[in-house]
Amino acid sequence: MSKIKNLNFGAVILDMDGVITKTARVHAKAWKKMFDEFLEKREGENFQPLDIKIDYNQYIDGIPRLDGIRGFLKSRNIDIPEGNPDDEPEKNTVHGLGKRKNKIFRDVIEKDGVRVYEDAVEMIKKWEKENIKLAVISSSRNCKYIMEKTGLEDKFEVRVDGNTLKEENLRGKPEPDMFVKAAEYLNVKLEDTIIIEDAIQGVQAGKKGRFACVVGVARNGKEKSLKEAGADIVVKKLTELLYLDKKTPETLPNALEEIEELFEIKGNRKITIFLDYDGTLTPIISDPDAAELPDDNRKIIAELSNITPVAIISGRDLKDLKSKIEIDTVIYAGSHGFDISGPDGLEMVHESEKEVTPALDEAEKRLKEQLKDIRGAKIERKKFAIAVHYRNVEQKDVQEVKDAVHKEADRQDILKTGSGKKVLELKPNIDWNKGYALDWLTEKLGWDKEKYLRIYLGDDITDEDGFEALRKDGVGVLVSTHGEKTSASFALRNTKEVTRFLQHLKDRIK
């Protein structure tokens, strides 16, 4: 048995697409391509294309292939023959369209391979070591094929997929049949089993099955909808299940008031300091370009960086970040750590640059056109991201801005959305963030946890990745609040307290 919070469990049943593998978007794109071509040929150039955010999520996502086709066509009042399993992909029948979609999907997989979520791999391996029974489920008949491509197939004792649905005459999601059958094959009780899903229909199925716990994985900002569907716990990454004891910012001890405790944690180790910029070193203001570093902070950072390592990790572009600080002894990590530069020739540009740049170029062009008439919307192009600020947008127009950004993320597999304080970003859909950048610097520069205490100060949701990286052997300090639970250990009320805190560190370690 293992535990999540106070919950004992002996088995975990994981959905495949979107939980383990990064194939959910490939499926969505394949469905859209297939249906758009079908609809255009049927209805002409004025056809209404499939909307991934609405049509795909409501009628197709997580549902058996043929049921998804029937449901979507019914929503459009389109009636076509059912056909039979021998129909070729070119045939305009339910079975033919299903094969057509599958061909598009497999062509992409054969060309690009299958990518997995590293947080899922980490938890699967952890559960395997704990002798937790594991099953993978998917409405797709490609489940075995995909899992073989990942190299994870042998981690799962049981697989229930689209083929099982047909062979066992099971009902698809949102009915719980697939999960119940997987638990039956595992020979475990439902009350000892956890379900992990990323789709609304899957969460609903898990709740109907009365399992011990249903975990919703909101990798692309579906927290609210997964909660509304009945998820008991919602996480962005499966590794968050290790840290469900996150605290509300208001309950954190103040880092200034508890400075002695922090130095007890430090012991005989040296200190490495990681700092966010906006909202941490300088207050958040309506015009990001005007956010200048206060002279007191510039002086303290310069002095600190001469006696201990200091790194600034920001969502700002590297060039912009450097121009704001202008201290040669500091390490700079721009674009959430995708672009790093520092003393002694330290340089790192993430390998995704060549792939992501054309996608960002296209998205920037479209966003400028779509948002040109929305007063107050500011589009900020960065090397590895596009930030769309809506702090100065009228409330009635905010949703239109958000929808435009999410639409661009849906359009290109290489991009995903990220959120901050009154800003949405389009950034590489890659497992890299401030926490990974922090760990990269730690390994690259030899800041071994036995010799260094790593301290990270940040104020935004994006800084949670940095706090999580330090959960076991570092200290996270949340500045102000971002409105959600945090992995930080301490808090500071504002940027003025950050200045005082850094001064205390400087005075104590010089």
Side-chain angles (χ1 to χ4, degrees), residues 8 31 112 184 202 220 349 355 382 386:
N8 292 309
W31 279 111
D112 300 334
E184 179 186 321
N220 292 301
V349 179
E355 186 178 5
K382 306 176 184 182
I386 299 170

Side-chain angles (χ1 to χ4, degrees), residues 376-388:
K378 179 181 174 62
I379 298 172
E380 180 188 2
R381 175 61 190 274
K382 306 176 184 182
K383 187 173 183 178
F384 278 93
I386 299 170
V388 181

Side-chain angles (χ1 to χ4, degrees), residues 1-3 7-11 130-132 189 191-193:
M1 285 283 183
S2 187
K3 294 187 76 173
L7 182 71
N8 292 309
F9 64 96
E130 294 176 351
N131 295 315
I132 299 298
K189 296 178 181 179
E191 58 266 30
D192 293 334
T193 304

Side-chain angles (χ1 to χ4, degrees), residues 375-439:
R375 186 177 178 182
K378 179 181 174 62
I379 298 172
E380 180 188 2
R381 175 61 190 274
K382 306 176 184 182
K383 187 173 183 178
F384 278 93
I386 299 170
V388 181
H389 302 268
Y390 55 89
R391 181 174 297 275
N392 299 318
V393 172
E394 291 185 38
Q395 189 58 42
K396 66 181 180 65
D397 295 325
V398 168
Q399 193 57 51
E400 185 176 349
V401 174
K402 291 181 177 181
D403 288 345
V405 177
H406 286 298
K407 186 175 181 180
E408 285 305 314
D410 288 337
R411 188 189 296 269
Q412 304 192 65
D413 289 337
I414 189 61
L415 299 180
K416 66 179 179 180
T417 57
S419 60
K421 294 179 177 178
K422 302 294 184 180
V423 62
L424 272 177
E425 281 192 317
L426 280 174
K427 53 188 181 180
N429 187 19
I430 291 163
D431 285 329
W432 192 263
N433 54 45
K434 289 183 176 182
Y436 288 128
L438 188 155
D439 286 338

Side-chain angles (χ1 to χ4, degrees), residues 35-65:
F35 269 127
D36 283 357
E37 290 175 353
F38 166 77
L39 292 169
E40 184 176 16
K41 190 171 182 179
R42 178 187 175 92
E43 300 175 7
E45 60 182 20
N46 294 322
F47 77 101
Q48 182 183 350
L50 180 143
D51 187 306
I52 289 178
K53 190 173 182 180
I54 299 173
D55 298 322
Y56 179 72
N57 286 336
Q58 185 170 352
Y59 302 111
I60 300 170
D61 188 20
I63 300 173
R65 188 187 307 163

Side-chain angles (χ1 to χ4, degrees), residues 233-300:
I233 298 169
V234 176
V235 297
K236 292 180 181 178
K237 297 188 293 186
L238 288 188
T239 45
E240 290 179 37
L241 294 173
L242 298 170
Y243 310 121
L244 289 178
D245 57 339
K246 285 185 177 184
K247 299 178 180 179
T248 57
E250 296 77 18
T251 64
L252 293 176
N254 185 278
L256 278 172
E257 296 170 2
E258 304 295 337
I259 194 79
E260 294 302 325
E261 180 185 344
L262 192 148
F263 272 87
E264 285 181 16
I265 295 171
K266 170 186 174 296
N268 295 322
R269 292 179 289 176
K270 297 178 181 179
I271 284 178
T272 301
I273 303 168
F274 299 88
L275 301 162
D276 178 40
Y277 184 78
D278 296 281
T280 300
L281 294 176
T282 183
I284 296 287
I285 58 176
S286 59
D287 181 7
D289 293 335
E292 299 298 335
L293 183 67
D295 290 339
D296 286 349
N297 281 347
R298 178 173 281 104
K299 181 174 182 293
I300 293 170

Side-chain angles (χ1 to χ4, degrees), residues 315-357:
R316 285 180 178 263
D317 234 19
L318 180 62
K319 184 178 179 181
D320 179 31
L321 185 62
K322 282 185 171 182
S323 71
K324 293 290 185 185
I325 297 174
E326 296 184 320
I327 300 173
D328 293 339
T329 47
V330 164
I331 295 166
Y332 298 94
S335 298
H336 300 290
F338 277 84
D339 201 3
I340 297 175
S341 176
D344 302 319
L346 177 67
E347 300 286 343
M348 191 281 284
V349 179
H350 197 275
E351 60 186 10
S352 64
E353 180 185 13
K354 289 183 179 179
E355 186 178 5
V356 76
T357 298

